[in-house]
């Protein structure tokens, strides 16, 4: 299975440097060696990919098409070397050729193709689909800049372009011969011919979608899958007559317009131009993908009538929802099917994963924008909407339900309802989340079509997020479980439970964690000049910055700890370091203020001698996959403190658990299932439950009452108003919590309602940490019971219950 020995890999790297860069290893730079390493592995994967595709076609296998506007792949060199089983050989070969392997790996930029959990999940699933030998392709946009690079300047987030493609393009295989043309705008003309009504779109603007393929290796298999990334190009060449007249900008206008589509992930959409660009991105990506799938299917089978038997399209969140009308367009306009036949095939081909209960993420598009930008798609959506509405009315005879379930209503197109109408399955991503979808968010749709609604709890790539990034722990697991069986059968981790009372094992586990903390402290010092104390509790909250994830609750507790230290310098005996990492969406003002507050507090504590070796707060700038890979093995406390009922699943919580960190959390998202396998005794639960949250809001929640009767809370909140040593006051956050602001109710996410319970949970955690044997036992149980959260399990559930495809 291993394609290289150390010697043959050295030869391949040397040859690649000469062929591609005209240099010997002695002359090559680290950047050139990084690219050469990528190209050598890419060659192996590309050859295997050709074989995989041939076999898929020959055996006419059903294929999975996973559509996601985000694929947060991180770095690929180490991962691909690991999956190809050549990581030790690559390290040795690089060392023999005079390079430091660690420097080469660290040089690779993260492929900036996502924003957070959604994109990271897609990357994990692609790895598992490949490892389980499911013929699958991921599809997204080849963003030039992707998610921004975060810089903290005077405590505030500044967004910089993240041009990852300079070195990252080494993984991409452009396939211009498979380009597709996508049309925007134009006018529709209808005519009868051959007994059919034909619709053609005239005078539309055409954009070329050029695929750049990233091959993905599975673990311990020759099977290779592809991530197809669409790049946008103008269809017409530059107008040379304009160029000759000196009208340079006008000459390149169309090219510039086309290329903005693939320029940046999620353009800000609080203005018309941003909304228009976002919708263009979504249709560009969907249309290119569906055309590509249909073309390949026709090449193999000569008809689209069996499309649903050989393809399943998984929509990851509502961003690719236009798959439904685009499939209908191709079946009707290009394959000449009638409506009923086209609809039957479409609704047997598409499945929808919902990732959130937040209203702002259940996308709605202005009808006027859809009409002008996508006239034919708008026509088809109108017909889908009318037929769906009639179906709902016939079933319920209730105008209120018709309004809630409508696809077009009040001048808006509701994408989640379109997905439900046009899909064969709808799934949530944790047990609690799926129940909320069935009983609340999509209650009426579930009442009408209960068979569509399923649950697949998220999972993570445990080979990457444990074995690859935490070699010390991997070594311990192999010793205790008798080999590497857990890499393909993650439930084998359960054997670790047998060692819960083995002091030698617990001490070894503690030593591994300590070494990981030392390694992270060295990394933090080297990369950002931060001095961390490896003997402190590493208490970590890293995730996207959103109010419902309640980073602000964490901050309020730290302020309370700081105030306790002011009153009594001996209040903290065990050093405690709070680590934050988060990017705020560029237009999300409150989230950006919370980042500034974290940095104000960090600065205050840093300059107060009372806090030395007792309390520290660090904001980790530009949090991303590669930083997470350094951080997860070193983390001891995992903060999963969202308002109950708001977090769909979470996957960071699973990575922490798998690396032995203990969770302080609410019963929300996958924390509920973690609690099912861990019990109260192996995590620190606190706070209101989802039903209690709803009850409190119905009753009428008044946070000022808590402020008035709780002196500790009052003093903590007053600190926001009074400000910090950097001169910044946070009156706006104070007002938001107590009185509401900008149309949001006071303390919308119930931070103050959960504040005391959270402080108590942190106190219980610190007391438990003092008993290291007990702590390490809890840590071992967390690792032992984390196997259920492997992506292999989740993908197998999709394969068995939704996609109906065989797997390894």
């Amino acid at each position: 299975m291993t394609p290289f020995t150390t010697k043959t890999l050295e030869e391949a790297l040397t040859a690649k440097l000469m062929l591609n860069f005209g240099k010997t290893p002695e002359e090559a730079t680290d950047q050139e060696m990084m690219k050469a390493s990528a190209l050598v592995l890419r060659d192996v994967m590309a050859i295997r990919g050709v074989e995989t595709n041939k076999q898929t076609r020959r055996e006419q296998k059903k294929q999975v098409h996973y559509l996601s506007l985000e694929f947060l792949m991180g770095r690929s060199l180490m991962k691909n070397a690991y999956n190809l089983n050549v990581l030790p050989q690559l390290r040795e070969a690089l060392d023999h050729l005079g390079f430091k392997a660690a420097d080469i790996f660290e040089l690779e930029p993260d492929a900036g193709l996502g924003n957070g959990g959604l994109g990271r999940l897609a990357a994990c699933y692609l790895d598992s689909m490949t490892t389980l030998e499911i013929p699958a392709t991921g599809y997204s946009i080849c963003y030039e800049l992707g998610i921004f690079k975060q810089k903290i300047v005077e405590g505030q987030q500044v967004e910089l372009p993240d041009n990852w493609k300079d070195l990252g393009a080494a993984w991409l295989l452009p396939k211009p011969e498979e380009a597709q043309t996508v049309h925007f705008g134009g006018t529709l003309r209808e005519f009868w011919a051959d007994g059919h009504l034909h619709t053609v779109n005239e005078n539309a603007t055409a954009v070329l979608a050029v695929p750049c393929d990233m091959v993905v290796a599975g673990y311990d298999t020759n099977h290779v899958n592809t991530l197809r990334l669409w790049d946008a190009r103008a269809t017409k060449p530059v107008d040379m007559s304009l160029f000759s007249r000196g009208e340079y900008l006008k000459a390149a206008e169309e090219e510039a317009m086309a290329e903005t589509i693939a320029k940046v992930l999620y353009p800000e959409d609080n203005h018309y131009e941003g909304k228009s660009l976002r919708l263009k991105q979504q249709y560009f990506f969907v249309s290119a993908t569906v055309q590509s799938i249909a073309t390949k299917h026709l090449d193999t089978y000569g008809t689209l009538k069996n499309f649903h038997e050989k393809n399943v399209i998984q929509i990851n969140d509502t961003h690719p929802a236009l798959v439904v009308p685009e499939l209908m367009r191709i079946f009707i306009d290009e394959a000449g099917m009638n409506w009923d036949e086209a609809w039957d095939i479409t609704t047997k081909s598409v499945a929808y994963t919902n990732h959130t209960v937040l209203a702002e993420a259940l996308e709605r598009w202005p009808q006027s924008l859809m009409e002008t930008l996508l006239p034919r798609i708008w026509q088809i959506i109108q017909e889908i909407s009318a037929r769906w509405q009639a179906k709902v009315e016939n079933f319920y005879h209730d105008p209120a339900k018709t309004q809630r379930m409508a696809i077009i209503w009040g001048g808006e197109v509701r994408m989640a309802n379109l997905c439900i109408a046009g899909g064969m399955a709808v799934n949530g991503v944790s047990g609690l989340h799926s129940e909320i979808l069935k009983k609340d968010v999509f209650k009426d749709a579930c009442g009408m079509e209960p068979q569509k609604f399923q649950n697949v709890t998220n999972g993570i790539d445990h080979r990457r997020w444990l074995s690859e990034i935490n070699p010390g722990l991997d070594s311990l697991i192999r010793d205790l479980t008798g080999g590497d069986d857990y890499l393909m059968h993650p439930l084998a981790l359960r054997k670790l439970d047998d060692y819960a009372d083995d002091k030698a094992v617990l001490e070894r586990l503690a030593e591994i964690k300590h070494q990981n903390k030392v390694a992270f402290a060295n990394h933090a010092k080297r990369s950002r000049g931060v001095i961390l104390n490896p003997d402190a509790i590493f208490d970590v909250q890293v995730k996207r910055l959103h109010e419902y994830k309640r980073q602000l609750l964490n901050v309020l507790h730290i302020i309370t700890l700081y105030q306790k230290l002011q009153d009594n310098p001996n209040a903290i005996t065990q050093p405690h370091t709070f680590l934050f990492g988060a990017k705020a969406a560029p237009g999300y003002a409150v989230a950006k203020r919370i980042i500034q507050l974290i940095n104000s507090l960090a600065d205050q504590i840093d300059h107060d001698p009372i806090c030395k070796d007792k309390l520290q707060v660090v904001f980790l700038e530009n949090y991303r996959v590669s930083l997470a890979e350094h951080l997860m093995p070193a983390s001891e406390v995992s903060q999963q403190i969202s308002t109950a009922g708001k977090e769909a699943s979470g996957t960071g919580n699973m990575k922490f658990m798998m690396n032995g960190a203990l969770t302080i959390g609410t019963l929300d998202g996958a924390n509920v299932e973690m609690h099912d396998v861990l019990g109260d005794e192996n995590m620190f639960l606190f706070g209101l439950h989802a039903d209690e949250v709803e009850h409190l809001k119905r009753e009428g929640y008044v946070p000022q009452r808590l402020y008035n009767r709780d002196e500790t809370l009052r003093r903590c909140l007053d600190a926001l108003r009074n400000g910090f040593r950097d001169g910044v006051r946070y009156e706006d956050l104070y007002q938001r919590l107590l009185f509401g602001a900008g149309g949001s109710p006071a303390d919308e996410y119930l931070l103050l309602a959960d504040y005391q319970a959270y402080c108590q949970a942190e106190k219980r955690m610190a007391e438990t940490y003092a008993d290291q044997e007990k702590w390490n036992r809890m840590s071992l149980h967390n690792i032992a019971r984390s196997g259920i959260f492997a992506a292999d399990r989740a993908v197998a559930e999709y394969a068995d219950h939704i996609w109906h495809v065989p797997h390894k």
Side-chain angles (χ1 to χ4, degrees):
M1 202 68 85
T2 305
F4 292 107
T5 63
T6 301
K7 188 172 186 314
T8 59
L9 192 48
E10 279 178 53
E11 290 165 358
L13 289 170
T14 302
K16 191 61 78 175
L17 283 172
M18 289 179 177
L19 285 168
N20 284 57
F21 304 102
K23 289 188 177 178
T24 63
E26 291 74 28
E27 297 166 321
T29 63
D30 281 4
Q31 283 86 346
E32 286 161 346
M33 181 48 96
M34 185 257 127
K35 284 184 182 175
S37 303
L39 292 169
V40 166
L41 298 190
R42 191 186 83 178
D43 288 351
V44 174
M45 290 151 63
I47 291 165
R48 290 183 178 183
V50 170
E51 284 305 312
T52 300
N53 292 337
K54 266 170 44 182
Q55 188 184 358
T56 301
R57 274 198 307 276
R58 190 171 60 245
E59 297 177 19
Q60 300 194 344
K61 292 180 180 178
K62 189 175 186 181
Q63 296 182 55
V64 175
H65 306 279
Y66 195 91
L67 275 68
S68 179
L69 261 189
E70 298 185 34
F71 272 90
L72 204 54
M73 302 299 283
R75 292 170 174 161
S76 294
L77 185 55
M78 248 180 96
K79 176 61 183 165
N80 284 328
Y82 178 90
N83 274 5
L84 291 168
N85 219 358
V86 294
L87 187 53
Q89 294 92 316
L90 181 59
R91 287 185 199 278
E92 282 182 20
L94 289 170
D95 289 344
H96 290 175
L97 293 171
F99 294 84
K100 281 190 178 162
D103 291 350
I104 300 296
F105 294 145
E106 199 65 31
L107 195 64
E108 183 183 4
D110 286 46
L113 301 171
N115 178 33
L118 182 82
R120 188 53 235 159
L121 180 80
C124 284
Y125 281 2
L126 196 50
D127 179 274
S128 280
M129 286 185 266
T130 313
T131 299
L132 297 182
E133 298 184 352
I134 296 169
T137 309
Y139 300 86
S140 197
I141 294 176
C142 195
Y143 305 103
E144 185 183 322
L145 301 176
I147 187 64
F148 58 87
K149 192 178 280 183
Q150 183 192 52
K151 193 96 183 124
I152 301 298
V153 179
E154 295 179 350
Q156 298 183 69
Q157 170 178 295
V158 175
E159 300 96 30
L160 301 174
D162 183 17
N163 198 337
W164 66 279
K165 280 165 85 173
D166 181 30
L167 284 174
W171 296 109
L172 300 177
L173 287 162
K175 299 272 182 73
E177 71 284 358
E178 294 184 36
Q180 305 292 337
T181 305
V182 180
H183 294 97
F184 297 101
T187 50
L188 300 180
R189 180 168 63 84
E190 294 180 338
F191 61 92
W192 282 91
D194 321 319
H196 286 293
L197 180 67
H198 294 261
T199 305
V200 291
N201 190 354
E202 297 176 327
N203 309 315
T205 302
V207 175
L208 205 60
V210 181
C212 295
D213 289 354
M214 189 184 274
V215 272
V216 176
Y219 177 77
D220 199 31
T221 173
N222 285 332
H223 187 97
V224 166
N225 282 326
T226 301
L227 171 58
R228 172 152 285 195
L229 301 168
W230 294 104
D231 207 355
R233 295 273 179 269
T235 51
K236 293 178 190 166
V238 169
D239 188 330
M240 290 308 292
S241 63
L242 286 171
F243 216 88
S244 306
R245 295 202 298 269
E247 296 180 47
Y248 309 124
L249 293 178
K250 196 163 175 46
E253 203 171 69
E254 193 162 324
E255 191 174 19
M257 191 283 290
E259 289 179 5
T260 55
I261 290 174
K263 185 66 78 178
V264 67
L265 172 73
Y266 299 152
E268 202 46 58
D269 67 347
N270 49 13
H271 41 69
Y272 184 84
E273 288 78 8
K275 276 191 173 60
S276 174
L277 180 52
R278 252 198 211 208
L279 186 57
K280 268 185 196 163
Q281 279 188 337
Q282 292 188 6
Y283 183 64
F284 166 80
F285 145 65
V286 159
S287 180
T289 297
V290 175
Q291 289 183 65
S292 170
I293 298 167
T295 301
K296 287 186 176 180
H297 181 89
L298 274 170
D299 286 348
T300 306
Y301 301 101
T303 176
L304 290 174
K305 289 182 184 290
N306 66 341
F307 184 89
H308 56 293
E309 293 166 13
K310 299 297 178 185
N311 299 281
V312 59
I313 297 174
Q314 187 69 43
I315 298 176
N316 197 30
D317 225 350
T318 52
H319 310 129
L322 291 171
V323 156
V324 174
E326 179 66 6
L327 272 174
M328 292 296 287
R329 183 189 71 77
I330 287 173
F331 292 152
I332 293 169
D333 293 359
E334 296 181 17
M337 295 182 195
N338 64 36
W339 182 277
D340 291 337
E341 186 180 16
W343 185 246
D344 182 59
I345 296 171
T346 297
T347 53
K348 288 176 179 171
S349 304
V350 178
Y352 162 50
T353 300
N354 172 281
H355 284 275
T356 181
V357 298
L358 297 181
E360 71 258 29
L362 298 172
E363 291 179 300
R364 297 171 178 222
W365 290 107
Q367 175 181 325
S368 55
L369 182 60
M370 195 78 79
E371 280 178 283
T372 51
L373 198 62
L374 308 171
R376 179 57 177 147
I377 291 299
W378 165 244
Q379 259 190 354
I380 292 167
I381 291 174
Q382 280 181 295
E383 185 66 21
I384 294 171
S385 178
R387 289 173 182 239
W388 174 250
Q389 208 160 307
K391 184 176 176 177
V392 172
E393 283 165 356
N394 288 337
F395 187 86
Y396 278 121
H397 308 290
D398 180 343
K401 287 185 168 62
T402 300
Q403 179 177 339
R404 280 198 298 272
M405 290 174 71
I407 294 169
I408 301 171
W409 197 274
E412 288 185 321
V413 183
R414 300 166 176 176
M415 304 310 268
N417 288 354
L418 177 62
C419 292
I420 293 167
M424 60 182 173
V426 179
N427 74 280
V429 289
S430 72
L432 175 67
H433 172 236
S434 294
E435 283 305 301
I436 290 171
L437 293 185
K438 286 195 264 191
K439 292 177 179 169
D440 182 8
V441 183
F442 301 139
K443 177 182 171 185
D444 302 329
C446 184
M448 188 169 88
E449 299 182 327
Q451 74 285 354
K452 277 189 182 180
F453 286 81
Q454 303 199 32
N455 174 61
V456 182
T457 297
N458 281 346
I460 57 170
D461 170 9
H462 70 292
R463 289 171 289 273
R464 182 174 198 145
W465 290 104
L466 197 168
S467 175
E468 187 192 324
I469 67 169
N470 199 341
L473 182 54
D474 174 66
S475 177
L476 175 64
I477 292 166
R478 288 170 191 247
D479 290 350
L480 299 183
T481 62
D484 63 359
D485 186 39
Y486 89 97
L487 293 177
M488 290 302 294
H489 304 99
L491 290 178
L493 288 169
R494 199 74 202 229
K495 294 176 190 169
L496 298 179
D497 270 338
D498 298 342
Y499 298 89
D501 295 316
D502 187 323
K503 283 193 176 182
V505 167
L506 297 181
E507 282 169 13
R508 188 171 159 197
L509 182 64
E511 179 55 25
I512 290 164
K513 181 63 74 175
H514 183 73
Q515 290 305 324
N516 289 338
K517 288 170 74 178
V518 169
F520 184 73
N522 290 337
H523 175 77
K525 185 179 179 185
R526 195 170 57 247
S527 60
R528 56 198 70 217
V530 175
I531 306 295
L532 296 176
N533 175 5
D535 294 322
I537 303 172
F538 278 16
D539 193 333
V540 184
Q541 188 173 20
V542 287
K543 51 183 76 240
R544 198 163 43 89
L545 202 308
H546 197 296
E547 287 170 275
Y548 82 84
K549 294 178 186 284
R550 301 205 295 191
Q551 285 93 344
L552 184 52
L553 177 60
N554 192 345
V555 171
L556 294 179
H557 167 251
I558 299 168
I559 292 172
T560 300
L561 272 188
Y562 177 66
Q563 290 174 336
K564 273 188 184 166
L565 269 181
Q566 301 302 304
D567 300 341
N568 172 13
N570 299 316
I572 294 177
T573 50
Q574 169 64 47
H576 201 149
T577 295
F578 292 89
L579 297 161
F580 291 87
K583 289 179 180 179
Y588 195 167
V590 179
K592 287 178 143 181
R593 279 293 274 170
I594 293 168
I595 288 177
Q596 190 177 6
L597 170 61
I598 294 167
N599 285 301
S600 287
L601 181 59
D603 173 73
Q604 177 92 18
I605 288 169
D606 215 27
H607 285 83
D608 192 328
I610 289 175
C611 299
K612 188 168 166 51
D613 291 327
K614 290 192 170 78
L615 187 60
Q616 185 180 20
V617 175
V618 175
F619 187 88
L620 300 167
E621 183 182 82
N622 200 35
Y623 182 65
R624 59 202 185 281
V625 176
S626 54
L627 179 52
E629 289 173 337
H630 289 290
L631 178 62
M632 293 291 172
S635 301
E636 293 175 294
V637 179
S638 161
Q639 296 276 349
Q640 307 297 332
I641 59 177
S642 53
T643 314
K646 293 294 181 192
E647 183 69 83
S649 166
T651 47
N653 49 1
M654 301 168 186
K655 292 164 193 164
F656 282 113
M657 178 189 185
M658 207 168 258
N659 283 280
L662 304 189
T663 301
I664 291 181
T666 49
L667 271 178
D668 197 26
N671 287 0
V672 176
E673 283 140 295
M674 284 166 58
H675 178 249
D676 289 344
V677 295
L678 289 170
D680 287 349
E681 64 277 14
N682 289 305
M683 58 196 302
F684 304 97
L685 286 179
F686 75 94
L688 298 166
H689 297 185
D691 56 340
E692 294 169 330
V693 166
E694 290 311 309
H695 179 69
L696 181 59
K697 287 189 170 179
R698 272 199 311 275
E699 259 187 355
Y701 171 53
V702 186
Q704 297 98 298
R705 288 179 192 155
L706 295 168
Y707 175 83
N708 290 332
R709 67 169 181 247
D710 184 338
E711 191 187 337
T712 315
L713 175 60
R714 185 163 65 247
R715 189 177 165 199
C716 168
L717 290 175
D718 287 348
L720 297 179
R721 303 184 84 175
N722 298 333
F724 298 88
R725 72 177 287 280
D726 60 5
V728 184
R729 290 185 168 82
Y730 294 89
E731 176 77 29
D732 52 335
L733 295 179
Y734 171 90
Q735 291 289 338
R736 196 173 182 84
L737 287 170
L738 288 177
F739 307 104
S744 297
D747 191 19
E748 184 176 1
Y749 297 106
L750 307 183
L751 282 68
L752 307 191
D754 275 348
Y755 163 80
Q756 277 298 349
Y758 176 56
C759 290
Q760 288 305 311
E762 274 278 345
K763 187 165 179 276
R764 288 201 313 277
M765 180 278 294
E767 286 165 356
T768 306
Y769 193 85
D771 180 348
Q772 276 293 289
E773 188 178 321
K774 182 180 180 183
W775 183 273
N776 293 325
R777 185 176 297 115
M778 291 168 72
S779 177
L780 189 73
H781 285 313
N782 269 262
I783 300 161
R785 298 173 197 180
S786 65
I788 193 171
F789 298 113
D792 289 2
R793 184 266 317 150
V795 165
E797 287 178 17
Y798 276 106
D800 293 339
H801 305 306
I802 295 175
W803 303 336
H804 306 295
V805 295
H807 57 84
K808 195 159 87 174

